[in-house]
């Protein structure tokens, strides 16, 4: 006998639910594909710094694109609520497109644009599609951590209608193209968002027609109810109690403290960041919308990571932070490099819950390294490009950390050939760094070293936004830390959150952090150590020092 969901007196077959759920995920994935294929910047087309979400007419997240940044499952519904507060549903018309890059109602910094389009069946809204992409430029001083107030960071776009009943707002276009360095790319990416949402809306209508649906209410409720039930069951498998963890991280002028308390009570979980240091006057502060999203993502990693993202899976989780702290920044605090601190929410929560979910928790990662390059291409056109590089992934129980794999975010690396053609710079080499992964029964993933030479023929501005330069990725349960990150200009170590002018022929070198190890190094199998030696992941010196073995 088939299981079924009883909703509002109706019954939805569990097999049909699974098929229809998969169809909605495939629609979100097709929106992602459209976005990638029509975008102008490598940030979207190559690095996948994007998110696509489908929400029901009540603003509940139904599904998210598979190749989306997972953390934004926690921001899209809140962003939509702000959009609908400014433009209530009854005032919207077919062809309307709403957008904003306000950090406090979006994803935490102005470099992400949030674009929403209502889906109409006749005169009735049945769903909303939303896409989020990191823009290549928003003006100001550029994407970095050197701002001291939000006004330095560029053009802050309020909640506005970019399109009204299918007609583009040319005044909005004029404001944008007159405030950014590369207007063709920025406008091209904005229009790619519009196109992707239009495609998604039509696919949703086609889906509804195929199944004879007048709305998505019952299907949305079934998906969310099933996911919430799975999440509550997963939380019940965790040990009840209150768990604490605090870490030190590098700021700009000194170290900073992040604190976390996680409380598990039967099928619900509360996370508080009480005790975290207050905001600073550099662009690394984190609005709560981003903190909340990172926290929700972290819990999903520890519970039901394989389940497609939707509102039900986050229903049993509540998150709070003191207003004005690093993880709940207030206007006008600068937030451009909010990921530099925001990415630490995940290891902070993992550390707190390590005792409760020993088999699922991960050692610290070397994290993603982001740099912005601004200048003039040899062909005379302006450049504003983001370079992504990754440290090593943290080890897990019985699993070595993967080399140069990002976490907790998941952007992809721009291929060298594309990067060099777009920037006029030369990537002289990339190489893995032996011994950079933290020793342990399971070894942390390796970091890497990358050298980029300015061959543009003119001055190239580089913004560093590095972490893991003072406090390494720590290990778990006896595992040792990974290697620290370092940035160098012409062989000289520089501040990891600075702005640098590279003359023609100058080079910047990125030494990426290794991931932390898991378990005692002496418990690592000799076969694994021999394999590491053969692959060049470790040296004989480190084997003798860290593993106390003579292979």
């Amino acid at each position: 006998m088939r299981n079924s969901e009883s909703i509002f007196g109706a019954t939805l077959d569990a097999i049909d639910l699974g098929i229809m759920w998969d169809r909605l995920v495939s629609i979100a994935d097709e929106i992602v594909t459209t976005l990638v294929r029509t975008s102008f910047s490598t940030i979207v087309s190559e690095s996948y710094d994007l998110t696509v979400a489908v929400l029901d007419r009540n603003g509940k997240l139904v599904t998210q694109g598979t190749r989306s940044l997972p953390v934004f499952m926690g921001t899209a519904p809140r962003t939509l609520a702000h959009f609908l507060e400014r433009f209530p549903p009854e005032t919207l018309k077919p062809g309307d497109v709403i957008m904003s890059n306000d950090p406090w109602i979006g994803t935490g910094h102005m470099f992400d644009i949030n674009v929403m389009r209502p889906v109409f069946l006749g005169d009735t809204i049945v769903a909303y599609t939303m896409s989020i992409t990191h823009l290549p430029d928003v003006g100001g001083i550029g994407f970095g951590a050197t701002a001291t107030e939000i006004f330095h960071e560029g053009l802050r776009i309020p909640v506005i209608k970019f399109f009204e009943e299918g007609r583009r707002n040319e005044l909005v276009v004029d404001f944008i193209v007159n405030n950014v360095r590369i207007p063709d790319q920025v406008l091209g990416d904005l229009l790619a968002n519009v196109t992707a949402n239009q495609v998604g809306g039509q696919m949703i209508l086609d889906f509804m027609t195929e199944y004879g649906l007048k709305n998505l209410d019952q299907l949305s409720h079934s998906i969310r109810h099933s996911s919430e039930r799975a999440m509550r069951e997963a939380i019940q498998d965790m040990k009840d109690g209150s768990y604490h963890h605090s870490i030190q991280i590098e700021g700009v002028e000194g170290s900073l403290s992040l604190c976390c308390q996680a409380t598990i009570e039967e099928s619900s979980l509360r996370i508080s960041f009480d005790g975290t240091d207050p905001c600073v006057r550099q662009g690394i502060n984190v609005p709560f919308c981003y903190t909340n999203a990172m926290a929700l993502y972290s819990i999903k990693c520890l519970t039901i990571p394989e389940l497609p993202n939707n509102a039900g899976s986050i229903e049993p989780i509540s998150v709070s932070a003191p207003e004005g702290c690093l993880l709940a920044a207030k206007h006008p605090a600068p937030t451009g490099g909010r990921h530099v601190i925001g990415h630490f929410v995940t290891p902070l929560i993992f550390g707190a819950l390590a005792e409760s979910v020993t088999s699922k928790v991960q050692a610290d990662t070397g994290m993603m390294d982001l740099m912005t390059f601004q200048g003039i291409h040899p062909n005379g056109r302006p450049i504003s490009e983001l370079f992504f590089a990754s440290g090593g992934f943290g080890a897990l129980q019985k699993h070595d950390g993967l080399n140069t794999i990002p976490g907790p975010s998941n952007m992809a690396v721009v291929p060298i050939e594309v990067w060099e053609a777009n920037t006029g710079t030369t990537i002289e080499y990339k190489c893995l760094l032996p011994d950079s992964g933290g020793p342990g029964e399971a070894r942390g993933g390796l970091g890497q070293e990358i050298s980029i030479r300015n061959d543009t023929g003119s001055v190239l501005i580089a913004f560093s936004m590095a972490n893991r330069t003072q406090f390494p990725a720590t290990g778990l349960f006896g595992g040792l830390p990974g290697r620290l990150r370092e940035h160098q200009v012409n062989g000289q170590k520089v501040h990891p959150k600075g702005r640098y002018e590279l003359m023609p022929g100058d080079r910047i070198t990125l030494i990426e952090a290794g991931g932390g190890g898991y378990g005692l190094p002496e418990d690592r199998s000799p076969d694994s150590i021999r394999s590491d030696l053969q692959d060049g992941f470790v040296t004989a010196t480190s084997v003798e020092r860290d593993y106390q073995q003579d292979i």
Side-chain angles (χ1 to χ4, degrees), residues 92-163:
L92 296 175
K93 304 291 184 182
D96 286 351
V97 177
I98 315 297
M99 73 177 188
S100 175
N101 70 340
D102 189 308
W104 284 273
I105 69 173
T107 65
H109 67 182
M110 294 195 298
F111 300 90
D112 287 339
I113 191 72
N114 301 261
V115 180
M116 179 275 283
R117 189 174 189 271
V119 181
F120 280 85
L121 179 61
D123 296 328
T124 304
I125 294 176
V126 293
Y128 300 92
T129 61
M130 180 176 289
S131 59
I132 306 166
T133 63
H134 188 117
L135 294 175
D137 189 59
V138 292
I141 62 174
F143 182 31
T146 57
T148 58
E149 56 182 359
I150 194 69
F151 307 106
H152 297 161
E153 294 184 332
L155 182 65
R156 183 179 171 199
I157 304 171
V159 179
I160 59 171
K161 283 190 178 182
F162 187 30
F163 280 71

Side-chain angles (χ1 to χ4, degrees), residues 346-510:
T346 295
L348 184 63
I349 291 175
F350 284 2
L353 293 175
E355 180 185 341
S356 178
V357 284
T358 303
S359 62
K360 294 184 178 181
V361 76
Q362 173 193 9
D364 286 358
T365 72
M367 294 191 173
M368 175 68 77
D369 194 5
L370 276 69
M371 292 198 70
T372 303
F373 289 90
Q374 295 174 352
I376 304 296
H377 194 276
N379 66 13
R381 64 173 174 79
I383 301 167
S384 183
E385 294 277 348
L386 263 66
F387 187 83
F388 294 91
S390 181
F393 207 63
L396 297 97
Q397 187 180 66
K398 307 298 183 183
H399 294 282
D400 291 345
L402 297 175
N403 300 329
T404 65
I405 292 295
S409 200
N410 64 339
M411 282 79 76
V413 175
V414 177
I416 290 176
E417 297 81 2
V418 175
W419 174 264
E420 292 182 339
N422 283 356
T423 64
T425 65
T426 299
I427 297 183
E428 297 182 301
Y429 62 83
K430 283 186 176 184
C431 62
L432 293 175
L433 293 173
D435 299 335
S436 57
E441 181 180 4
R443 173 185 45 74
L446 270 59
Q448 60 183 316
E449 183 172 324
I450 305 167
S451 178
I452 306 172
R453 188 177 68 231
N454 177 14
D455 288 338
T456 65
S458 56
V459 176
L460 188 67
I461 306 299
F463 290 92
S464 289
M465 290 175 281
N467 49 28
R468 295 280 186 225
T469 58
Q470 184 180 351
F471 300 95
T474 59
L476 277 178
F477 307 114
L480 301 182
R483 176 176 175 168
L484 290 169
R485 175 173 281 116
E486 185 176 311
H487 285 185
Q488 298 175 355
V489 173
N490 296 329
Q492 299 298 311
K493 184 177 178 180
V494 296
H495 195 287
K497 298 177 181 67
R499 174 187 182 276
Y500 303 101
E501 296 187 359
L502 305 180
M503 298 296 114
D506 284 355
R507 56 180 49 82
I508 189 162
T509 304
L510 313 179

Side-chain angles (χ1 to χ4, degrees), residues 127-434:
Y128 300 92
T129 61
M130 180 176 289
S131 59
I132 306 166
T133 63
H134 188 117
L135 294 175
D137 189 59
V138 292
I141 62 174
F143 182 31
T146 57
T148 58
E149 56 182 359
I150 194 69
F151 307 106
H152 297 161
E153 294 184 332
L155 182 65
R156 183 179 171 199
I157 304 171
V159 179
I160 59 171
K161 283 190 178 182
F162 187 30
F163 280 71
E164 188 164 5
E165 296 187 61
R167 296 185 300 274
R168 192 170 78 179
N169 189 328
E170 296 301 329
L171 181 59
V172 171
V173 173
D174 289 344
F175 268 116
I176 293 172
V177 300
N178 281 282
N179 280 278
V180 299
R181 295 171 177 84
I182 44 175
D184 289 348
Q185 285 192 46
V186 173
L187 185 58
D189 276 11
L190 289 175
L191 294 176
N193 278 271
V194 174
T195 300
N197 279 281
Q198 184 174 2
V199 168
Q202 186 57 55
M203 291 185 71
I204 289 170
L205 294 177
D206 293 344
F207 166 79
M208 293 175 64
T209 299
E210 180 180 343
Y211 282 93
L213 302 176
K214 295 182 178 180
N215 57 59
L216 296 178
D217 294 355
Q218 179 179 337
L219 178 58
S220 172
H221 188 281
S222 296
I223 290 171
R224 291 183 286 109
H225 177 69
S226 176
S227 300
E228 179 180 348
R229 184 175 58 200
M231 175 60 80
R232 291 194 182 279
E233 290 173 355
I235 293 175
Q236 284 179 324
D237 289 339
M238 303 166 77
K239 298 178 183 177
D240 280 6
S242 187
Y243 304 92
H244 302 260
H245 190 49
S246 62
I247 58 176
Q248 291 286 301
I249 62 173
E250 56 273 77
V252 175
E253 297 176 347
S255 61
L256 302 167
S257 295
L258 303 181
C259 300
C260 170
Q261 176 176 305
T263 302
I264 302 170
E265 292 180 350
E266 296 183 350
S267 63
S268 63
L269 195 155
R270 298 193 310 275
I271 298 171
S272 167
F273 296 101
D274 288 348
T276 293
D277 278 351
C279 285
V280 295
R281 280 186 55 80
Q282 293 84 28
I284 56 176
N285 302 291
V286 189
F288 180 73
C289 56
Y290 190 77
T291 298
N292 178 70
M294 291 297 302
L296 297 174
Y297 162 72
S298 303
I299 298 303
K300 193 165 184 295
C301 288
L302 297 176
T303 50
I304 48 174
E306 68 284 353
L307 196 73
N309 289 334
N310 62 78
S313 60
I314 61 180
E315 189 65 29
I317 308 163
S318 62
V319 184
S320 65
E323 191 175 62
C325 78
L326 282 166
L327 298 176
K330 296 171 58 179
H331 183 273
T335 66
R338 52 95 170 99
H339 65 278
V340 175
I341 285 181
H343 283 182
F344 282 98
V345 168
T346 295
L348 184 63
I349 291 175
F350 284 2
L353 293 175
E355 180 185 341
S356 178
V357 284
T358 303
S359 62
K360 294 184 178 181
V361 76
Q362 173 193 9
D364 286 358
T365 72
M367 294 191 173
M368 175 68 77
D369 194 5
L370 276 69
M371 292 198 70
T372 303
F373 289 90
Q374 295 174 352
I376 304 296
H377 194 276
N379 66 13
R381 64 173 174 79
I383 301 167
S384 183
E385 294 277 348
L386 263 66
F387 187 83
F388 294 91
S390 181
F393 207 63
L396 297 97
Q397 187 180 66
K398 307 298 183 183
H399 294 282
D400 291 345
L402 297 175
N403 300 329
T404 65
I405 292 295
S409 200
N410 64 339
M411 282 79 76
V413 175
V414 177
I416 290 176
E417 297 81 2
V418 175
W419 174 264
E420 292 182 339
N422 283 356
T423 64
T425 65
T426 299
I427 297 183
E428 297 182 301
Y429 62 83
K430 283 186 176 184
C431 62
L432 293 175
L433 293 173

